[in-house]
Amino acid sequence: MRRMRAPQLRRRTAALGLLASAAIVSITIASGDDAPSSGPAGTAPPDQVTFDGHIRPFVETYCLRCHSTEKQKAGLDLEVHATSDSVIRDRKTWEKVHRMLSEREMPPGRRRQPSEEERFRVTSWIRAELDRFDCDGPVDPGHVTLRRLNRAEYNNTVRDLLGIDFEPAADFPADEVGYGFDNIGDVLSLPPLLLEKYLDAAIDVVERALARERRLADGERTSAAFERVVTCSPGDGLSPAECARRILGPFAERAFRRPLSGAELDGLVNLSLGALEAGDEFEQAIEVGLAAALVSPHFLFRVEAGLAADGGSSVAHPIGDFELASRLSYFIWSSMPDDELLASARAGKLHDDAELERQTRRMLADPRSRALVENFASQWLQTRLLERATPDPETYPGFSAELRADMERETILFFDEVLRKDRSVLDFIDGDFTYLNERLARHYGVDGVAGDQFRRVSLEDSPRGGILTHASVLTLTSNPTRTSPVKRGKWVLEQIMGTPPPPPPPDVPELSEEPEAILSGSLRQRMERHRDDPNCAQCHARMDPIGFAFENFDGVGRWRDFDGQFVVDPSGELPDGRSFDGPDGLKKILRAQHEVFCRNLVEKMLTYALGRGLEYYDKCAVDRVVEALERNDHRPSALIVEIVKTDPFRKRRGRDTEDR
């Protein structure tokens, strides 16, 4: 059969790219701990405290000197918060204020201090306001921006649509990241270069899928993808138009993840018939229709209709079953819904709690859920950034590209076991096992592991355990020539506890790396001298002790007892007075605060599942998922099932709440 050369197919589909661009444009337009129940004698209860009478004067007296519109230390401006409503609208800020006051990190020790009665009155009021948000009535489920498939989703969708496993998005521009993830609608822009890449990829995908000739040892002459797509040929009582409809209809329905309208199918069929009339053979003409579907915004974008069931959109309402199927599949598989999920959507069953849970558990058991491990875990823990780490080869001569890959694989396999075996998510903090091959085991000083294959290894009686002591994390949070307690402490605060420190003030001098300075003391000793600047001390008091707990691990995660000629001191004391000695002691403290860790994990995964940042009105959903996680022994299955049952996942905002 005469094959259409790529330039020919490009000419036939160039107009499709322009049409897709126009269609895309038109569519685009289209916590801390609870406060104690009682305070110092004579303290007014929270319901007798007012913003104007108590909170605003407190802020003016103790806070505005450093946190005003004119002087925003740590990027915090409290002067703009003029009413009590601002507490709900800017929950993150006021949760931070609550924590800093409760833990006595603010005001700084050298500043005027409030009395215990004043401090308790303000923290109790803030906590009561944060808890006041009504979760019993209608709650805004939020709005997810129309978003394109990111590179991983594009590759996986092509794989599941056609059964050809290659990566057509490999040379797409890198996806931008927002809120820690690369599937956030607000940042998934559409540069002009990407439109051209979409056209190239569509041509490549179609030509690979419909290639009849295959040089395989078993003598196969027809590709599985061809058999899947080209289900008929003209003749046998079928006209070219009828056969084109039989081929393009099912293909486009799966590609668009929903039923087609008659006009949509007519458009694709007419494109193919036009190519047939121009002299192409039937299969070449079909390629044009298939390529058109792959450059359609309904394939490239996850489009969700904004109308409620009654034809209006004035109130928050459930999204359609097909839209819910796509939300679910791209959350768990980073790919399109399969036939069973689409059948459930077609039957109108997916909004039923029992059916939604059944489908979720089925999908978690499917091998495709590995995408949740690779895409969520690697971004939550930031191990995807390990490829940027550049340990100095003179300082760490044993580090190699192979070892780097082993480090990343250990963390993925660890997360995978927690998910697959439904272990407690608290194992992320102190699980007593890991996965090693011979190279990584030798790096860790673990005996009895041979070969390149990874195997499960017990870490009982080991200083390691949990993801905090994985070499991937320890290397990622180090400098090229030494460890970085600051980076390690900041990583724990941000990724594990969800309480990130503010950005550093400008013009802070770097720690000296001159030979004389290095010989003057251990890294810990030099950092303690470096921290004399009062502008830095407050945040370093939170970060540094956490980072010091891991000083027995060098810049690439190997165990050590000495930092140069100095004995490592891994002890620390947190701002609230709790002390620990080494990683085991710190992990006990972190596990004791498991509510804080669980809330952070819920917020991270809900952000990933929704493809948007969380807002104050998402508190109700977060609270319910956290409660369910606690009730179910911290099992990841409970976490994921409860997320897909939340209103933000199953509903969308109506127009009357767009700017509420």
Side-chain angles (χ1 to χ4, degrees):
M1 181 190 78
R2 177 173 62 87
R3 297 284 298 158
M4 183 181 289
R5 294 169 57 86
Q8 292 176 282
L9 184 53
R10 175 182 291 278
R11 285 195 297 272
R12 293 283 167 79
T13 55
L16 302 178
L18 296 175
L19 290 172
S21 301
I24 287 169
V25 170
S26 70
I27 288 179
T28 303
I29 292 175
S31 114
D33 296 332
D34 289 338
S37 58
S38 61
T43 302
D47 60 359
Q48 295 179 16
V49 177
T50 64
F51 186 88
D52 291 334
H54 300 88
I55 308 306
R56 187 67 187 173
F58 180 97
V59 169
E60 291 172 349
T61 301
Y62 300 108
C63 307
L64 291 189
R65 180 172 178 177
C66 296
H67 303 295
S68 64
T69 302
E70 182 178 351
K71 188 176 184 180
Q72 300 181 29
K73 281 196 174 180
L76 179 60
D77 178 7
L78 293 178
E79 194 170 0
V80 299
H81 297 280
T83 67
S84 59
D85 288 345
S86 69
V87 178
I88 296 299
R89 290 188 176 275
D90 195 0
R91 291 186 58 83
K92 289 293 185 183
T93 292
W94 286 94
E95 285 173 348
K96 183 183 297 184
V97 170
H98 179 272
R99 180 180 55 76
M100 298 294 273
L101 289 173
S102 298
E103 297 180 2
R104 291 166 175 74
E105 294 186 33
M106 288 291 168
R110 68 190 184 284
R111 302 292 187 192
R112 180 183 174 187
Q113 296 293 311
S115 67
E116 285 303 298
E117 178 182 344
E118 289 177 300
R119 189 184 295 271
F120 178 82
R121 181 167 57 213
V122 171
T123 55
S124 298
W125 183 88
I126 293 173
R127 175 48 55 197
E129 285 296 298
L130 292 173
D131 290 342
R132 183 174 61 84
F133 194 78
D134 183 13
C135 292
D136 294 327
V139 176
D140 184 356
H143 170 74
V144 178
T145 303
L146 171 78
R147 65 185 185 275
R148 62 172 173 82
L149 304 182
N150 65 22
R151 292 192 299 178
E153 292 168 342
Y154 187 97
N155 285 334
N156 292 345
T157 302
V158 167
R159 176 200 66 200
D160 294 339
L161 178 64
L162 291 164
I164 51 176
D165 197 2
F166 79 113
E167 297 186 348
D171 65 344
F172 286 8
D175 297 313
E176 295 182 42
V177 174
Y179 304 98
F181 300 102
D182 65 2
N183 67 341
I184 304 300
D186 288 340
V187 301
L188 282 171
S189 59
L190 189 65
L193 174 62
L194 187 54
L195 284 174
E196 185 176 334
K197 294 290 186 182
Y198 281 149
L199 183 56
D200 290 339
I203 294 169
D204 195 12
V205 166
V206 167
E207 290 197 330
R208 285 174 181 261
L210 268 62
R212 274 187 173 278
E213 301 298 327
R214 300 187 64 190
R215 298 178 181 177
L216 299 178
D218 60 6
E220 181 185 356
R221 304 294 290 177
T222 305
S223 72
F226 184 95
E227 296 283 0
R228 178 192 298 228
V229 175
V230 182
T231 55
C232 66
S233 59
D236 301 325
L238 291 177
S239 69
E242 291 170 329
C243 186
R245 297 182 78 85
R246 285 196 183 187
I247 293 171
L248 294 172
F251 177 83
E253 282 204 355
R254 296 184 70 239
F256 295 176
R257 285 90 65 180
R258 59 163 176 78
L260 264 65
S261 69
E264 288 173 324
L265 180 55
D266 289 343
L268 295 174
V269 170
N270 289 337
L271 283 170
S272 290
L273 294 180
L276 192 63
E277 291 171 1
D280 291 338
E281 295 183 10
F282 180 76
E283 288 173 12
Q284 296 168 334
I286 285 295
E287 288 183 351
V288 175
L290 297 173
L294 295 181
V295 295
S296 166
H298 296 286
F299 172 74
L300 299 172
F301 284 74
R302 290 169 56 188
V303 182
E304 294 181 352
L307 298 179
D310 61 359
S313 58
S314 61
V315 295
H317 55 273
I319 60 175
D321 281 79
F322 288 99
E323 287 90 347
L324 182 56
S326 283
R327 282 196 181 187
L328 186 59
S329 67
Y330 282 99
F331 171 31
I332 297 177
W333 289 345
S334 295
S335 186
M336 60 183 286
D338 65 355
D339 290 342
E340 181 173 340
L341 189 57
L342 288 174
S344 179
R346 189 171 286 106
K349 297 178 179 178
L350 208 49
H351 277 282
D352 176 75
D353 281 359
E355 174 65 5
L356 184 59
E357 179 170 346
R358 187 186 74 80
Q359 290 289 347
T360 301
R361 292 186 182 278
R362 176 185 71 84
M363 295 170 70
L364 285 172
D366 190 285
R368 281 171 286 188
S369 64
R370 182 64 179 266
L372 182 62
V373 177
E374 294 175 346
N375 296 326
F376 171 74
S378 66
Q379 294 187 85
W380 166 42
L381 302 174
Q382 299 185 330
T383 54
R384 182 177 289 188
L385 303 178
L386 188 61
E387 62 183 16
R388 302 181 189 175
T390 56
D392 177 57
E394 293 187 8
T395 308
Y396 307 109
F399 187 82
S400 65
E402 292 78 14
L403 184 61
R404 184 203 308 269
D406 293 342
M407 292 175 176
E408 191 168 4
R409 183 161 175 75
E410 175 195 16
T411 303
I412 290 296
L413 290 173
F414 183 92
F415 190 103
D416 189 64
E417 172 163 332
V418 173
L419 180 67
R420 296 260 174 245
K421 297 189 176 178
D422 214 17
R423 299 177 62 96
S424 169
V425 298
L426 301 185
D427 279 350
F428 291 132
I429 295 176
D430 62 356
D432 61 356
F433 69 95
T434 193
Y435 283 83
L436 303 175
N437 64 1
E438 182 176 358
R439 183 168 39 240
L440 190 55
R442 187 167 57 247
H443 187 72
Y444 282 1
V446 173
D447 297 326
V449 179
D452 291 333
Q453 294 298 314
F454 276 77
R455 67 184 66 180
R456 193 179 192 277
V457 176
S458 172
L459 293 177
E460 288 188 35
D461 302 321
S462 168
R464 297 186 190 271
I467 54 180
L468 283 70
T469 55
H470 282 194
S472 59
V473 172
L474 295 166
T475 302
L476 177 71
T477 54
S478 293
N479 289 336
T481 60
R482 63 167 174 83
T483 62
S484 175
V486 172
K487 289 182 179 178
R488 289 176 175 178
K490 180 174 180 287
W491 184 90
V492 171
L493 290 173
E494 286 184 334
Q495 309 309 127
I496 302 301
M497 307 307 288
T499 56
D507 304 323
V508 176
E510 294 289 333
L511 188 68
S512 175
E513 301 292 348
E514 295 298 322
E516 304 80 28
I518 294 174
L519 293 173
S520 69
S522 67
L523 177 60
R524 175 177 186 141
Q525 292 166 339
R526 290 187 288 134
M527 287 187 63
E528 288 172 344
R529 292 196 297 267
H530 179 74
R531 221 171 46 224
D532 289 339
D533 186 339
N535 291 322
C536 305
Q538 204 70 39
C539 291
H540 280 280
R542 295 178 62 211
M543 293 186 293
D544 292 3
I546 295 173
F548 290 145
F550 303 102
E551 272 296 275
N552 279 119
F553 300 100
D554 72 8
V556 292
R558 294 176 306 187
W559 180 264
R560 64 179 184 174
D561 294 309
F562 290 87
D563 175 11
Q565 60 183 332
F566 304 97
V567 176
V568 169
D569 176 7
S571 63
E573 182 176 324
L574 300 177
D576 61 7
R578 288 175 296 173
S579 60
F580 57 86
D581 186 12
D584 285 343
L586 176 63
K587 285 186 284 187
K588 288 179 182 177
I589 290 176
L590 296 179
R591 183 157 182 136
Q593 288 184 277
H594 61 81
E595 298 90 350
V596 179
F597 166 71
C598 288
R599 176 167 291 272
N600 176 57
L601 179 58
V602 168
E603 290 179 348
K604 296 283 188 184
M605 189 167 280
L606 185 58
T607 297
Y608 178 83
L610 296 177
R612 65 168 174 84
L614 301 189
E615 302 291 347
Y616 69 93
Y617 43 74
D618 294 309
K619 173 187 181 296
C620 304
V622 171
D623 286 347
R624 287 167 181 161
V625 177
V626 171
E627 290 168 4
L629 187 58
E630 297 280 353
R631 283 197 313 270
N632 289 277
D633 299 322
H634 308 102
R635 305 297 177 189
S637 61
L639 167 64
I640 294 167
V641 165
E642 291 303 319
I643 281 177
V644 303
K645 289 182 178 179
T646 62
D647 280 354
F649 193 85
R650 298 203 290 187
K651 296 181 179 180
R652 62 181 289 124
R653 171 189 294 161
R655 285 184 187 146
D656 67 339
T657 55
E658 269 312 306
D659 300 311
R660 196 175 72 183

